[in-house]
Amino acid sequence: MDLKQKIWDQWVLMLHKQEDRAKRREALLLEQIRKSMPDYDEVADLSITELHVIQSIGEKGNVNVTSLAQRIGVTKSAISKITSKLLKKGLIDRFQLEDNQKEVFFRLTRGGESVFSFHEIFHRRLERQMLSFLSQYSDSELEFLQKVMRDATIEMEKNWNNQ
């Protein structure tokens, strides 16, 4: 087997493992949020996409449907549905600016801020683990890895867009 084939096989294995771990991490995070907010029934059926919307609002502050759709990479229609669910769950509020009554903005409620905080802590822990793992490589190795990952991401985008 040639080296390119070995790299491809390892790449596919890594993607599958990452997908599996991501599902388990998401389930763990949602379970931790539920346990930490036992009196807040609204988080019982929180989806990972709803969590990403909460994350986006928490990071940017007051945001509208268009900016949320762009940040998360879904349609404005999908954001409208997700924000409706989050409004019903009491995790976000909607409001309009005094000088712009046409556009609707969103912000986190106290419950939404708690969910956002748990998500942030969870991601910081994952980031620390990855940075620790990467510390075993030299700067030149990291630069090469960054180039490969960037180029692979671009290639994946091209392939996805062509299908």
Side-chain angles (χ1 to χ4, degrees), residues 9-156:
D9 292 345
Q10 187 64 46
W11 183 268
V12 170
L13 178 63
M14 182 184 71
L15 290 177
H16 287 147
K17 287 186 179 286
Q18 174 59 19
E19 183 179 4
D20 182 54
R21 285 186 51 89
K23 288 177 185 175
R24 286 187 288 160
R25 276 195 314 264
E26 290 167 1
L28 176 64
L29 173 60
L30 291 172
E31 184 60 28
Q32 287 176 349
I33 290 169
R34 288 180 193 111
K35 284 181 180 177
S36 70
M37 301 171 73
D39 298 331
Y40 209 82
D41 294 335
E42 290 77 6
V43 298
D45 62 344
L46 194 62
S47 75
I48 204 65
T49 307
E50 291 170 338
L51 190 58
H52 289 157
V53 169
I54 289 169
Q55 183 70 21
S56 227
I57 295 170
E59 287 174 348
K60 287 292 184 185
N62 305 333
V63 294
N64 61 19
V65 170
T66 303
S67 63
L68 280 172
Q70 289 171 344
R71 282 182 56 85
I72 296 182
V74 298
T75 64
K76 290 192 275 186
S77 172
I79 290 296
S80 293
K81 290 175 186 174
I82 294 165
T83 54
S84 290
K85 290 179 183 179
L86 291 172
L87 285 163
K88 287 178 187 172
K89 293 177 182 183
L91 297 172
I92 64 171
D93 282 327
R94 65 186 290 160
F95 67 97
Q96 294 173 309
L97 301 175
E98 287 183 29
D99 61 339
N100 183 355
Q101 292 294 308
K102 200 168 82 171
E103 201 166 9
V104 175
F105 290 85
F106 301 98
R107 62 181 161 224
L108 298 179
T109 62
R110 191 169 287 174
E113 288 173 1
S114 293
V115 171
F116 172 73
S117 178
F118 271 96
H119 193 248
E120 282 290 291
I121 291 166
F122 193 78
H123 271 269
R124 279 196 298 270
R125 189 174 76 231
L126 292 175
E127 182 180 358
R128 280 194 308 272
Q129 290 170 345
M130 180 53 87
L131 293 175
S132 175
F133 165 75
L134 291 173
S135 68
Q136 67 184 309
Y137 299 100
S138 69
D139 286 348
S140 61
E141 289 170 319
L142 290 171
E143 286 172 13
F144 177 73
L145 179 60
Q146 181 185 21
K147 179 184 179 346
V148 168
M149 292 177 72
R150 182 185 61 240
D151 293 349
T153 303
I154 291 167
E155 188 65 23
M156 282 184 209

